[in-house]
Amino acid sequence: MAPAPAEPGGMDGYLGLRDVLVDLDLGAARGGGDGGTGGGGGFTVCFWLYLSGSAGPSSVILHQITAGGDNKLPFLALSEGNKLLLLPLLRLHKEAPGTSSYPWTDTTNISDANECPLEKWIHIGCEVTENVMRLHIDGDLVADAHLCSIPSEPANQDDAYQICLVGNSDKVEGYVYNIQVLSMLGTVHEQYTENPPSKLSIEYSCCDGIEVGDDGIWCIVGGKASCRRNFIMEVVLTNAFGEPVNKDTQIVASLVYADNGAVVEKSRDDAEPPLLIAFEGLEYPAKSRPLPILRGRALFKLKISQLSSKCDNKLFHIYFSTLHAQKYPFLEASSKPVCCISRGRPNRPMGPRKRTSSATVGEIQSVNNHQGFGRDGKVNACSQSHDLVCLHPSKFLKVEVDGIETHKMVPQSEQDRKMVLETPSVTRTDSTASDSDSIDGGSSWSGSDRDEVETFSDAMVFRYCLEGTCERSTFLKDAASSINVDDLIALANQVSLYSGCSHHRNQIIISKQLLEEGADTWSIISKNKERALWSSAVPEIVAKFMDISRSANRGLSEQDLEVLRGIAGCVDDLGRGEFDRLWYWLYLVAASLSKDKINNLWARTEPVWIEGFITKVEAENALRSSRELLRKLGTFILRFPTTRSWPHPDAGSLVVTYVGSDNSIHHRLLSLDFSAARAGSLQDLLLQEPELLQLGRVDRLPTAMGN
């Protein structure tokens, strides 16, 4: 008999191939004729299959054994081309394999035309009658065969009708999920969509604080507490369709050796754990602090204390797994090889130094006006800077590696600026450091004189350019509370000059107003308590968004709010830290929407030009007409990247996700530039791009929450 059906949303129902044992009653297949769904006999065997990378050609996946027999003959196998083969059943079909039938490709079989994927879940459906067998892959019929039945034998009828399916226990490492034997035909697609299995993976686009070498090896700064740095990794639990899974499970991180997978242990009893996790401001051994999966995701803030040089220069992996006693490869995920190095703390000046500003008063006022500051020094969301113009790829290269976008600036003239999609490269400039090793913020941040502008030492500016988003945020929180707008503008100019990226400018100048409005909004939401209910926070969040974005008619839909809740990482209530994560993303989006060209596009709902808050996965799914087929070339969707928050230079920017001429999905950032070199509406400029031909759409419920 088959195991009980797996509970939807649960973590049970997984079996190793060696543990599979299913009884088949061949009597149920008698009288099935051609196997129509309207009547007659027949049965269906359905299950999800996961084969490891070691599964090779001519491997048997499931054997069939007759009652009282010793010979194992194939029922489901891989051909020499690694294509799935389904073979007729013993005692039911004359074409069934015999002990001398090897290779199985020489006998009657049903074969898929495509190679079987490894290390990926696929759904298998086998429909059986006395005259027909059908093979379904991922809900679709891929092959069938008409067979000759063996007449039923009255004598020893019980034995004649009993066949067992058993998994391969020798050569093939594989797993089965939710295997079922159904007495009905025509239900394969229903079984395929009903209860898919899960897979754990690393979301590399959300990793931060990691330098990648030319050989692909990750380089992470570790060692003693004064030098090691934070790095951030996000793991996602998705089903076989790539959708986030909301399951009550926890994920734990550990450090393992790359060559053999052994866990890295402490060098001595009083030594620090090799891998540490930051939790509520404190550090713990990573193995002692598993994190729950929330809406399919868990975000780890980690540090390594064990240096590669202390382990015979070995490489490591960051290894994630569930807390189940039984370990499955699809519920585990390992990072790319990691080399942990030591990097001493540089000597830094204790405070800013004074020097005559290189910017004229007119230039400062010009920058001030561009960034939307009023005379009171606060950000005016209604007048925020730039027209949206993408720069020519020969002048400004957009770097996008596994979804991580950075910038590489090259000087250019006004006439060269034009609207184009940017070209991906392979460089990353936004590395992350730890909280303990962040830029000094406790120095004297006094305001400047009117004759001199207070600036920062070159060392501090360079360090800001090299730090990651988390450390820049800490620096700006300290600085913005005690310096004036002119000093922020001076810092923004220096950072833009030294980093070669003007996108840092807006993140620095807007910081003072962002933090002040965030504090005021939290005070209203929390009523001076430590936490607030999400349901009570929503109206104020929506009101603030509509006010900053100058959106009179379009608020936030329920789906938008769910995305915001995912960014915050909260469920039914939120604290200040969770609110800040939401605010640092939402404020920059709202500020971008306040600009005329983007605001006009946001307001247009027939058709919807800018989708609400959607994830990268949702955008990609919207560009697929099925799991395998993409929509028409040039179909595109505009969205805001959910992994870019203040003060990341790309926070608040628009991303165009589109089907390229190579019939694959691309994600390109639309740059913000200070010039208004090209007139016309943004939609017209977008449609002038040769790779953008028609606007796509995301099917979402049309509910919206206004003020």
Side-chain angles (χ1 to χ4, degrees), residues 571-591:
V571 184
D572 296 326
D573 62 349
L574 73 165
R576 179 62 191 269
E578 294 157 331
F579 170 79
D580 284 346
R581 283 197 294 271
L582 178 155
W583 186 255
Y584 294 165
W585 185 84
L586 182 65
Y587 190 92
L588 271 297
V589 170

Side-chain angles (χ1 to χ4, degrees), residues 441-681:
S443 308
S444 174
W445 300 98
S446 59
S448 64
D449 300 327
R450 289 302 149 206
D451 298 328
E452 284 184 316
V453 177
E454 185 79 26
T455 57
F456 305 92
S457 69
D458 289 343
M460 298 185 74
V461 175
F462 274 120
R463 187 158 180 80
Y464 181 94
C465 298
L466 295 173
E467 291 285 14
T469 301
C470 181
E471 284 67 36
R472 290 171 183 165
S473 171
T474 302
F475 174 80
L476 290 175
K477 287 177 189 176
D478 292 337
S481 63
S482 54
I483 63 176
N484 60 30
V485 174
D486 287 342
D487 288 335
L488 282 176
I489 294 173
L491 175 62
N493 288 336
Q494 289 177 287
V495 169
S496 296
L497 175 65
Y498 293 173
S499 67
C501 176
S502 62
H503 289 207
H504 288 289
R505 182 192 305 270
N506 189 49
Q507 308 296 327
I508 296 172
I509 297 179
I510 205 173
S511 58
K512 197 175 187 71
Q513 186 68 8
L514 176 148
L515 294 168
E516 289 176 356
E517 290 201 26
D520 293 342
T521 305
W522 172 248
S523 178
I524 295 171
I525 290 173
S526 65
K527 297 180 174 57
N528 297 321
K529 297 179 181 179
E530 290 187 0
R531 301 190 70 81
L533 290 175
W534 173 256
S535 57
S536 63
V538 164
E540 185 63 26
I541 292 172
V542 174
K544 281 291 184 182
F545 168 79
M546 296 183 70
D547 179 54
I548 297 170
S549 64
R550 298 190 297 133
S551 178
N553 300 318
R554 184 177 176 184
L556 300 179
S557 69
E558 294 177 5
Q559 293 89 342
D560 295 336
L561 294 172
E562 280 303 304
V563 172
L564 288 179
R565 185 149 62 170
I567 292 172
C570 65
V571 184
D572 296 326
D573 62 349
L574 73 165
R576 179 62 191 269
E578 294 157 331
F579 170 79
D580 284 346
R581 283 197 294 271
L582 178 155
W583 186 255
Y584 294 165
W585 185 84
L586 182 65
Y587 190 92
L588 271 297
V589 170
S592 293
L593 289 173
S594 70
K595 302 162 193 170
D596 288 339
K597 286 188 176 181
I598 306 180
N599 189 272
N600 294 337
L601 221 57
W602 173 258
R604 292 190 60 175
T605 56
E606 292 294 338
V608 175
W609 271 83
I610 300 179
E611 293 294 342
F613 303 157
I614 61 173
T615 64
K616 177 181 177 181
V617 172
E618 287 179 307
E620 289 179 344
N621 289 340
L623 294 179
R624 299 183 187 274
S625 55
S626 67
R627 289 191 64 196
E628 303 297 332
L629 298 177
L630 297 177
R631 298 195 182 277
K632 184 179 178 181
L633 298 183
T635 305
F636 67 94
I637 289 171
L638 293 176
R639 63 183 178 89
F640 292 99
T642 55
T643 58
R644 296 294 182 258
S645 298
W646 176 86
H648 193 285
D650 296 337
S653 298
L654 273 172
V655 166
V656 57
T657 299
Y658 67 98
V659 180
S661 56
D662 57 352
N663 202 35
S664 61
I665 295 178
H666 298 269
H667 306 271
R668 299 292 169 85
L669 202 70
L670 301 182
S671 294
L672 296 174
D673 183 55
F674 290 105
S675 72
R678 295 183 64 180
S681 65

Side-chain angles (χ1 to χ4, degrees), residues 211-220 313 315 336-339 426:
E211 299 175 8
V212 183
D214 294 337
D215 53 2
I217 294 176
W218 286 4
C219 191
I220 296 175
N313 290 316
L315 298 178
K336 297 174 182 179
V338 172
C339 175
V426 291

Side-chain angles (χ1 to χ4, degrees), residues 29-34 41-42 92-93 128-132 147-150:
R30 298 290 181 181
D34 291 336
L92 183 64
H93 303 124
V128 180
T129 74
E130 61 182 348
N131 297 118
V132 174
L147 306 170
C148 297
S149 63
I150 298 176

